[in-house]
Amino acid sequence: MPPRIPSSGCQPQRLLNCLESVPPPSPVPLSTLAPRHRPTASSRSSPQWSSSSSRPFSTTPAAQATKLRRKFQEWCDKNGPLFRETNPGDTNYVSRIMPVSDNQGTEPDQPFPNNKAFRSEPVLSERARETIWWSVMVKGVPLKAVSAEFSVDMRRVAAVVRMKEIEKRWERENKPLALPYAYAIAKMLPRRDLVEGEANFEPINDIHVHSYTMQQLFVPASESREFTRADAAKAFGDRVLPPDAKMRIPELVQMERSIVEGTPPREARAQFIANAGASEAAFAERQRARQQGAEAKRTRVNTDRFEFRFEKINAEDVGPTGRARKAAGWRYGAPLMDRRRGEVKIPTRVE
Amino acid sequence: MRQRRLLRFHGLKRPRVRQTWNKYNLFNLTRLRTPLLQNKTFFQQKWIAKSMTRGYHGEHIKEYQWERMFSRRLLSAVNMDPAYMAQYDGSEQASGRGSGQKRRPGTKNHGPRNKGNINGPTPYMQMIFAPMERRLDVAIFRALFASSARQARQFVLHGAVTVNGKKMTYPGYLLNPGDMFQVNIERVMAATGRPKMPNKNQKALPPSSEATEAAEGEEGEAAEGEATEAAEGAAEPVDADAAKENHRAALKGLKDRARKIMLMKNVHMRAKQKQSLRKFLQEVKTNMDRTRKASDPSKAEMDDVERELTALLSDLSLTPAQLKAEAKKAYIERNKKRDRQLAAAAADTNADASTTTKTIRAGAAAASLGLLTESQQSVLKWMMQREAENPHDASKPYATPWKPREWMSPFAFIPRYLEVNQRVCAAVYLRHPVARPGKSEVPSPFSPTLSQLAFNWYLRRG
């Protein structure tokens, strides 16, 4: 049996005594509430906890701020005015205060001082987006021509128009736009207005570097041979296309070629716009034809409740496993694996 | 319960740079250095590099998931200059002994050049985490719609994100080039705006009135100027100070009430609200009657001002777009009027003195009565428009009027593979991030050394 503790010495009892002796209505004097890790001279001269009534339960001093935390506070006090708010008229990255980081110099457009390869590049301003939308949707300039004129990637031009259309629709529907947010973000980022005298916005004639071409290759060729880009592509592999075939806007190369051959630039430019328009129209026509072809193979039967769509399929398309990806349905008896452990069911495409 | 890995998310002792806009994170970013690796084994070096980089790139993603996403094929692109392509077929690079002819020393002609690329090596090693940038949650964070990748993930899980117009609840959805994702505007505003401080409600109000006061100050000066003009031109004893005070008080009252109306405008107008609007207009009228009794200018002028004011106040219940149009119209009209006046002044300067003094007197009268002159009206209108765009609204989960959160600008950048429209909070994933000569598109705070070591870790060779 463990030794018994007299009830008066027991902790809860002491606690009770302590609590009872406190006069409940009198407010606690302010001096007792002062932080204890900073003892003042007055409190040291006169014992702070003279009366047992106001004595707290713990006498351990509050933990002091660590050195790191103090440093952080100092840093905040020093740099808070810089980084708390937007830097009017400019970007505001930490490289501003770090001319050297990791033993190398930094540039002000580097959001990460250690990574020189990543820069904060300009975005299109509201004015630029409006200009692009206007030239595509109102003036009807082909996308390729708009891209070449403003030196903005074709995919970006399409994206700008697509989102601008949504914006305009919301305006018509009186749906609230995130205007204060848009203004604030515009103030933080470098911008381009796409006006005369600005540097090119982005490279528009990018070609993807094929992984086959990333290896070194030794091809013996006679000195007299004209070894062109097309030959080089062929040397790297049968499926590697030459850069000329990979150009996103081949009409631009045509234009430059005609300029070299002596066509006046103005004429060449007009021809380029015409060619771009024609190629886009042909693309649209091809797409329409494809859709029409798919529709022709389908039979629609409209009842009052459903629309049935019938298509001819080949039962052999499912392949030997019965699970060929593009085939319709699966072979009888082949189990559906969608409940198997580790089967990823996140969609891979949204249309 | 908090997850263990979140306990020291922004710790100072063992700092990790994270995908957030936190001030601790900013401090840790300034302290980030490539650690001393010379005295470590190769395995240790790779381990350190891996743990540091993974602390930033998708730390909320499990390691085996990332290992499945990792690809050793790093994408890159080069710009092909059409002018170069048109002039040369590439055979000049194979001339000589097969590696291009050497430039003659001393000649300025550098030969054919494929322009549009930076002269420098392609930083492939900074592209390891490119597959991570394809994830929907990371892309939302990169588009500046969320203050951290984890918050972006929550947006997706809570159903606030659509991809190509359809709700997408998988944060791990890998965006395809051309996909458009859109986040609920209110979520974005809450995530990027200042938090609401319940105890600072008293303090939260003044900033809005601060801005108005700044504008008010301008107005007050304008009024003062006009008052002194009036004193000179018409030689009337006008107590400028009293007029100013009067004017200010009236303006303030007007503004406060107009703000209330703006708030009401957001909701569908109900009978009760219409009643209160009518009551408000009535109040304005009685106030003006009182001021008319105090001093007695010509009645026709007063009626004009009154009509204007009433028109202005009835405009307040317009939609923002209409308001904008109104403001534009008013601006054009004002300009026209000024032109006309100037022309008139040029035509007969001395004969028309009476009319100019009349207009001045009208302005002075309006100012002394605490009513609005034309310029003040336009200022008020402009302020109303701003207010309509960014209203004070206690029902919002963020501090209103909306302001960007503190410590945000050092983290604000949009990588090139995204095109963002902030007004509708939508963004298009244009293409996969690529490396170009001298540039990489994957936002990563680490030095090439560390990235290369991390890449070697994931190669799993030797």
Side-chain angles (χ1 to χ4, degrees), chain A residues 84-85 92-93 102 114-115 117 121-122 129 156 162 178 181 205-207 209 228-229 347-348 350-351, chain B residues 34 76 78 80 88-89 144 164 166 173 176 178 194 407 409-410 412 416 419-420 423 436 439-440 444:
Chain A
R84 223 180 264 276
E85 303 289 339
N92 196 17
Y93 303 122
D102 227 22
N114 290 2
N115 184 358
E121 286 172 286
R129 283 181 207 155
R156 194 181 299 278
R162 186 178 173 191
Y181 169 71
N205 297 300
D206 270 358
I207 60 165
V209 176
T228 61
R229 287 189 286 260
T348 52
V350 181
E351 268 147 19
Chain B
T34 309
S76 63
V78 277
M80 296 304 289
Y88 302 96
D89 60 356
L144 306 181
N164 293 340
K166 282 174 193 147
Y173 172 71
N176 295 315
R194 291 220 175 155
W407 305 95
S409 55
R416 274 282 162 89
E419 173 59 35
V420 187
R423 293 177 168 219
R436 292 209 168 77
K439 278 182 189 173
S440 90
S444 169

Side-chain angles (χ1 to χ4, degrees), chain B residues 2-229:
Chain B
R2 289 188 78 184
Q3 284 168 297
R4 190 183 149 72
R5 74 180 96 113
L6 290 184
L7 283 178
R8 289 196 182 79
F9 194 65
H10 289 303
L12 295 171
K13 204 171 187 182
R14 202 163 147 273
R16 289 264 181 272
V17 181
R18 306 284 194 191
Q19 288 181 338
T20 64
W21 300 344
N22 192 294
K23 62 178 171 183
Y24 285 84
N25 195 31
L26 193 67
F27 178 60
N28 286 342
L29 180 63
T30 57
R31 290 199 297 157
L32 179 69
R33 301 280 178 279
T34 309
L36 198 66
L37 297 165
Q38 278 93 319
N39 55 354
K40 301 279 196 296
T41 65
F42 188 42
F43 183 88
Q44 284 169 337
Q45 290 179 11
K46 288 192 291 185
W47 177 276
I48 289 167
K50 179 218 78 168
S51 62
M52 280 179 85
T53 47
R54 281 285 281 123
Y56 178 80
H57 292 283
E59 50 75 35
H60 59 290
I61 298 157
K62 290 184 185 98
E63 185 66 3
Y64 73 84
Q65 281 175 317
W66 159 239
E67 276 172 5
R68 279 171 69 153
M69 280 163 75
F70 171 77
S71 162
R72 64 176 60 195
R73 230 180 105 231
L74 305 167
L75 299 183
S76 63
V78 277
N79 188 48
M80 296 304 289
D81 182 23
Y84 166 77
M85 298 276 279
Q87 284 179 57
Y88 302 96
D89 60 356
S91 59
E92 87 286 347
Q93 290 191 31
S95 59
R97 286 188 173 175
S99 51
Q101 242 160 2
K102 270 190 184 167
R103 260 177 261 134
R104 260 184 242 143
T107 52
K108 275 196 173 176
N109 185 16
H110 290 286
R113 265 202 70 200
N114 180 21
K115 283 178 211 156
N117 293 307
I118 295 176
N119 208 2
T122 308
Y124 280 106
M125 284 302 121
Q126 299 286 29
M127 299 293 296
I128 328 166
F129 291 98
M132 211 69 108
E133 305 298 316
R134 231 186 122 177
R135 278 180 64 103
L136 180 59
D137 52 355
V138 177
I140 288 170
F141 171 67
R142 294 293 186 213
L144 306 181
F145 292 153
S147 64
S148 71
R150 277 179 182 270
Q151 193 179 41
R153 181 188 162 82
Q154 202 184 35
F155 286 173
V156 182
L157 286 170
H158 288 189
V161 179
T162 59
V163 175
N164 293 340
K166 282 174 193 147
K167 191 165 108 177
M168 169 60 69
T169 52
Y170 297 100
Y173 172 71
L174 297 181
L175 291 162
N176 295 315
D179 273 356
M180 182 178 76
F181 54 94
Q182 202 164 6
V183 186
N184 188 345
I185 282 184
E186 279 306 307
R187 297 286 185 123
V188 174
M189 302 277 272
T192 57
R194 291 220 175 155
K196 215 173 187 174
M197 296 287 185
N199 51 346
K200 283 186 183 170
N201 249 351
Q202 302 298 327
K203 248 194 155 184
L205 273 172
S208 64
S209 59
E210 236 174 59
T212 53
E213 257 158 36
E216 236 171 70
E218 285 167 26
E219 282 168 33
E221 278 167 23
E224 198 178 10
E226 274 173 50
T228 48
E229 254 178 57

Side-chain angles (χ1 to χ4, degrees), chain B residues 234-279:
Chain B
E236 272 177 7
V238 180
D239 192 353
D241 280 349
K244 211 171 88 184
E245 278 302 311
N246 210 351
H247 174 205
R248 269 196 179 166
L251 254 188
K252 199 156 198 171
L254 254 181
K255 254 176 245 162
D256 287 348
R257 276 177 290 185
R259 182 175 294 154
K260 274 180 210 154
I261 292 183
M262 295 314 294
L263 283 182
M264 281 196 296
K265 182 219 83 218
N266 288 339
V267 208
H268 185 67
M269 269 284 211
R270 284 185 171 181
K272 227 174 196 178
Q273 288 162 347
K274 275 182 193 163
Q275 275 173 14
S276 64
L277 183 67
R278 236 171 275 144
K279 200 179 161 195

Side-chain angles (χ1 to χ4, degrees), chain A residues 291-302:
Chain A
Q291 270 177 359
Q292 237 175 13
E295 196 55 43
K297 283 180 193 165
R298 196 174 290 151
T299 317
R300 288 172 187 257
V301 178
N302 215 340

Side-chain angles (χ1 to χ4, degrees), chain A residues 86 126 171 177-189 191, chain B residues 324 385-386 389-390 402 404 422-423:
Chain A
T86 311
E126 199 46 49
E171 262 177 5
L177 303 176
L179 289 173
Y181 169 71
Y183 297 147
I185 295 288
K187 274 183 202 160
M188 293 179 198
L189 299 172
R191 301 183 296 282
Chain B
K324 215 185 272 177
Q385 192 192 319
R386 292 309 289 237
E389 280 167 3
N390 195 359
W402 188 91
Q422 282 88 9
R423 293 177 168 219

